[in-house]
Amino acid sequence: MDLHRAFWQRSGTSLALVAGLFWATAGQAGETAAPSEFAEAKRQAYQVSSIPADSLLLPAPKLPDLSPYTPEAVYAKLVRKPVGSVVVKRMLQQNPLIEFTGGDERLREWLKRQGEMPQVVFIEGGYVTPADLTRSLPEKYFRETEPGVYLARLPIVVSQGATLHIGKETKDFRLSSERGVFLINDGKLFITDTRLTAWREAENQQDWFKKKGRFRPFLNSWGGTETYIVNSVVSSLGYTASKSYGVSISQYSPAMHPIMQRSPPSGWLLNTMFDDMWYGFYCYEAYDVVLRGNTYRNNLVYGIDPHDRSRRLIIAENTAYGTVQKHGIIVSREVNDSWIFNNRSYENHLSGIVVDRSSVNNVLANNEVYRNKSDGITIYESGNNLLWANKAFNNGRHGIRVRNSSNVGLYENLAAANGLLGIYGHVKDLNGTDRDLQLDPFDMNLSLTVVGGRLIGNGSGAISVVTPQSVKLYRLEMLMPTKPTGIGMFGALADGKNQIIDLLVRQKKAVLVLPLDKLAQLQE
């Protein structure tokens, strides 16, 4: 990740200072943007200066080559021999299922739905298709209801060393909600050119979401597995229980991982529609997952949600819209060294894209985020991230929002016609909230580098940065103010606005805004 190292090296503070002492009072400007957050900041002295522009310049990020990640490459990974076997076993005391049977409440779910000691279909020893399942199982467990349409009435586990391939010969692979069916991959799973659907037998229809907490079928792939979903439609999976969110790629739980000793799971999800899911996608401690060219439509909580300690993810060319409760795309809790680019995220209930909870060393590039009810792009407690040439427009709150995050680079971004600010950086004290501070610590540090890009016609002003450790600006265009007072620059930029504009626009210099107390420390 040489690009990130270059950014960090260039983010050090310069002492080539040129006059300009002023006071910035957070409450005096931008109150229409976020009164409670501005009120947190204390009155602090800042100094405006010019610095060498070369110190801020970066080449455009070299984005990952997507050409290896194609349906053809997935088909080439299929190994159809040897033919596997299909057996029915009791659900209890099976390592891949302990997450789902370890508590009395979850075990009761399967007892109630199966009406007997819960059983599971295991695929073992090789390659199996839905047609093979039909030949191997009685109709009460699995059947072809019409040509190419299959109904699973027991949970299915793909064992280590086995492969399940649901391919184009299958029109729809249906998982019975009444029978408590789910699909666990502990080996290799291929879903290609087909449909995977949660199904209500009583109504003979897709199991559309109706009530939080009600069981719906789900797919989970454990540590050491490979999952490939290509050119397909996946619908109505997932509910609130752990690892049951919809489509999940997850390392084994901390209790099971020492027993199983499996490597991080991975997978490619390509050109597929995910709709009416509890989560469109979730992963946990997964590496090298590729999400390319998918559509996440009308999912309940999140469209895309990589989580804890996942690394080297590629999230590219996806569309996420209509998320009912939260964000279109979010990475959270130490999701590092990843790439989010060329995506569209719009009309979601909260933000378009979020980077959250100590997720560092990520690149967000060339994304379009618009008509989201909250921010376009939100960075929370996650430093050392680069935002390059993103477009955030017509969002309900801020175009780009950065909180409690250091060394965040905003390069060549467009923020236009957002309800509040084009760019809003601030600190926030999270003590006293419901945040678990041991699991998710934070520092009230903020530093931004804003180079290039345009801030156009945003409702409360162009940019506000409240209580930063430093702000660096260069080649930033601020056009079409919506208020007669002119370009809106608030927080630490407020009192020095005229000098900043003179340096940026007339002199075409780079600008450094630095707290006076920090300047004094650097000069000692």
Side-chain angles (χ1 to χ4, degrees), residues 52-303:
D54 288 349
S55 66
L56 305 185
L57 298 181
L58 286 177
K62 185 177 180 182
L63 302 174
D65 179 11
L66 296 179
S67 63
Y69 309 112
T70 64
E72 293 72 24
V74 170
Y75 304 147
K77 292 177 179 288
L78 281 163
V79 178
R80 292 176 167 84
K81 292 184 179 180
V83 175
S85 61
V86 178
V87 295
V88 177
K89 301 180 182 180
R90 286 192 171 187
M91 183 182 289
L92 295 179
Q93 298 181 333
Q94 303 290 343
N95 282 339
L97 300 176
I98 286 175
E99 178 75 27
F100 311 108
T101 61
D104 291 342
E105 183 176 347
R106 298 203 79 176
L107 182 58
R108 279 197 298 270
E109 187 78 61
W110 321 127
L111 284 166
K112 177 181 69 175
R113 293 179 181 277
Q114 292 192 23
E116 58 185 352
M117 182 58 67
Q119 294 180 301
V120 180
V121 173
F122 276 79
I123 296 170
E124 299 178 340
Y127 177 87
V128 167
T129 68
D132 297 324
L133 291 170
T134 301
R135 287 190 290 269
S136 303
L137 296 168
E139 284 197 352
K140 67 176 182 176
Y141 294 153
F142 190 91
R143 62 175 176 260
E144 187 173 15
T145 60
E146 58 185 90
V149 177
Y150 297 91
L151 177 66
R153 304 189 75 242
L154 284 185
I156 298 172
V157 175
V158 184
S159 298
Q160 187 174 357
T163 297
L164 173 61
H165 180 201
I166 306 170
K168 63 182 179 180
E169 297 81 7
T170 299
K171 296 178 182 177
D172 198 358
F173 193 91
R174 296 171 176 173
L175 308 178
S176 170
S177 294
E178 287 95 332
R179 293 279 296 177
V181 173
F182 53 87
L183 180 56
I184 298 298
N185 178 27
D186 205 33
K188 292 185 179 181
L189 175 63
F190 292 80
I191 300 173
T192 62
D193 304 281
T194 187
R195 294 184 65 100
L196 177 67
T197 310
W199 197 255
R200 290 198 66 79
E201 293 186 63
E203 290 86 12
N204 195 33
Q205 67 176 16
Q206 182 173 327
D207 190 1
W208 298 100
F209 175 80
K210 292 182 179 178
K211 182 180 178 182
K212 181 179 179 180
R214 189 190 74 169
F215 173 87
R216 292 199 303 178
F218 57 90
L219 186 166
N220 183 72
S221 293
W222 284 127
T225 64
E226 298 176 30
T227 301
Y228 302 96
I229 305 178
V230 177
N231 291 341
S232 295
V233 177
V234 181
S235 296
S236 295
L237 301 187
Y239 71 120
T240 52
S242 175
K243 310 300 184 185
S244 306
Y245 306 130
V247 171
S248 303
I249 297 178
S250 174
Q251 180 56 276
Y252 274 98
S253 66
M256 287 299 297
H257 182 48
I259 298 170
M260 302 303 291
Q261 291 292 309
R262 303 292 293 278
S263 60
S266 190
W268 299 358
L269 282 63
L270 312 176
N271 305 339
T272 292
M273 167 74 77
F274 298 87
D275 75 304
D276 190 49
M277 311 280 282
W278 186 244
Y279 292 8
F281 174 79
Y282 172 85
C283 68
Y284 171 91
E285 294 186 356
Y287 286 14
D288 303 303
V289 172
V290 178
L291 308 181
R292 181 189 182 190
N294 303 302
T295 298
Y296 298 84
R297 178 182 69 183
N298 301 334
N299 297 297
L300 277 304
V301 182
Y302 302 110

Side-chain angles (χ1 to χ4, degrees), residues 300-463:
L300 277 304
V301 182
Y302 302 110
I304 297 172
D305 180 27
H307 232 276
D308 304 54
R309 296 171 294 282
S310 295
R311 295 189 60 197
R312 299 191 303 269
L313 310 180
I314 295 176
I315 303 172
E317 299 179 350
N318 302 286
T319 298
Y321 68 93
T323 306
V324 175
Q325 295 184 19
K326 295 188 179 181
H327 316 295
I329 301 171
I330 178 173
V331 300
S332 183
R333 194 172 290 138
E334 298 180 59
V335 177
N336 302 337
D337 307 319
S338 297
W339 303 84
I340 304 172
F341 63 97
N342 294 353
N343 301 285
R344 291 192 304 151
S345 186
Y346 63 93
E347 295 175 0
N348 300 291
H349 187 68
L350 293 179
S351 295
I353 299 176
V354 179
V355 178
D356 183 42
R357 300 182 189 232
S358 304
S359 295
V360 303
N361 202 25
N362 301 296
V363 172
L364 284 65
N366 306 321
N367 300 290
E368 292 188 4
V369 288
Y370 54 94
R371 297 199 301 271
N372 297 288
K373 290 186 179 179
S374 187
D375 307 321
I377 298 176
T378 306
I379 311 294
Y380 280 163
E381 290 76 55
S382 295
N384 300 327
N385 289 296
L386 176 63
L387 281 61
W388 188 284
N390 301 285
K391 297 178 180 178
F393 53 93
N394 291 119
N395 296 291
R397 292 182 63 79
H398 311 291
I400 298 172
R401 176 176 180 170
V402 182
R403 184 182 77 187
N404 295 341
S405 303
S406 298
N407 292 342
V408 174
L410 309 179
Y411 281 69
E412 310 298 343
N413 298 287
L414 168 69
N418 296 290
L420 299 177
L421 293 157
I423 295 173
Y424 178 37
H426 67 114
V427 298
K428 182 178 177 68
D429 187 353
L430 301 178
N431 287 295
T433 68
D434 60 0
R435 187 184 186 95
D436 184 334
L437 297 180
Q438 289 189 332
L439 184 62
D440 297 309
F442 75 99
D443 292 314
M444 290 177 62
N445 292 325
L446 173 71
S447 57
L448 299 179
T449 299
V450 185
V451 175
R454 309 174 84 194
L455 308 178
I456 305 173
N458 295 288
S460 294
I463 181 170

